[in-house]
Amino acid sequence: MKADQDDIPEYIRNRKKESPWRFAAILGIGSAVFWALAMIFGKSIIIDINQIKNGIHVSGTPWFNQEQEKPVEQTQYYQTPPQPKPTRTTVRHEPIQEKIESLEKSLKIEAPPEKQTVFNDRNYKPSGAKNIVQATRVVQDEQRTSTTPKEIVVVGKENRPEDWVCSYVGKEGSIKRRECKMRYQLNNRN
């Protein structure tokens, strides 16, 4: 149930009235306090540009020098590139070469088969199913197939008075029947 604004007692009602001057007053007072604190605790900032210039270094040398250095012209002389040193060539001896060839023949190194990348009806090569398990025949036991009649026993079902008192009210499991059983049990407690 919602209460109307008119139903609230006068001493509980919000007495604050929203006005545009309220925000302006808060903003003005806050800025005045900020500037007063800045004037009291603030110090003047002195910036020495020369000290900043001398403090900037690039790869160990000052970036801003007082004296501009003149670039020195370097004379370049043409030098012939050094001659490459001759490399030693290795010569295989005949017995070693024969052993290598005999090992290669004995291993019979073959290239891997080509991987099929195009699939169509012309190049289809059926391969057998890969994930089939052979089925085994299941023999049924004689005990399982016996046709003797079995007796069915219901456990935990008893006739209670509330079942037959409320049997005329609603369907089995309906809310009306449950409420009827609940009322009967509440009335007949020990």
Side-chain angles (χ1 to χ4, degrees):
M1 183 172 127
K2 281 189 165 181
D4 292 335
Q5 291 294 329
D6 299 337
D7 295 337
I8 299 174
E10 199 60 39
Y11 65 91
I12 296 178
R13 287 188 189 175
N14 189 2
R15 294 186 185 121
K16 295 178 185 175
K17 303 287 184 184
E18 292 293 327
S19 68
W21 294 107
R22 183 178 175 194
F23 177 73
I26 292 172
L27 191 63
I29 292 170
S31 61
V33 169
F34 175 76
W35 283 110
L37 291 174
M39 295 300 286
I40 292 170
F41 296 109
K43 295 180 181 177
S44 61
I45 299 173
I46 300 172
I47 299 174
D48 188 8
I49 301 295
N50 290 328
Q51 190 177 9
I52 293 173
K53 283 184 180 179
N54 291 336
I56 299 173
H57 291 279
V58 175
S59 68
T61 60
W63 181 264
F64 299 103
N65 280 339
Q66 299 295 335
E67 302 170 1
Q68 293 291 331
E69 295 180 8
K70 294 181 180 178
V72 177
E73 292 183 23
Q74 295 180 355
T75 57
Q76 295 181 356
Y77 298 104
Y78 176 73
Q79 294 179 353
T80 58
Q83 294 292 329
K85 294 181 180 179
T87 58
R88 289 178 33 173
T89 58
T90 56
V91 178
R92 291 186 180 172
H93 297 287
E94 289 299 321
I96 296 174
Q97 186 68 24
E98 290 173 4
K99 286 182 181 179
I100 291 173
E101 288 174 2
S102 64
L103 282 174
E104 287 176 353
K105 288 178 184 176
S106 65
L107 292 176
K108 294 181 183 177
I109 299 173
E110 295 178 5
E114 282 189 33
K115 202 170 197 179
Q116 185 178 1
T117 57
V118 178
F119 298 93
N120 56 28
D121 291 337
R122 289 186 204 133
N123 64 2
Y124 175 70
K125 296 173 188 170
S127 61
K130 305 220 186 255
N131 59 352
I132 292 184
V133 178
Q134 295 295 328
T136 57
R137 186 172 198 117
V138 178
V139 179
Q140 293 183 349
D141 295 337
E142 293 177 11
Q143 296 172 353
R144 291 185 187 175
T145 58
S146 64
T147 58
T148 58
K150 295 181 180 173
E151 188 175 324
I152 298 173
V153 177
V154 177
V155 179
K157 182 75 174 171
E158 59 184 74
N159 290 330
R160 297 181 181 169
E162 62 263 19
D163 290 335
W164 58 267
V165 168
C166 296
S167 63
Y168 64 92
V169 180
K171 296 181 180 180
E172 182 68 33
S174 67
I175 294 175
K176 289 181 181 180
R177 186 174 282 191
R178 289 180 191 173
E179 288 176 353
C180 177
K181 288 181 181 182
M182 181 184 66
R183 275 187 264 119
Y184 181 83
Q185 290 171 356
L186 283 174
N187 291 335
N188 296 321
R189 276 195 204 166
N190 289 338

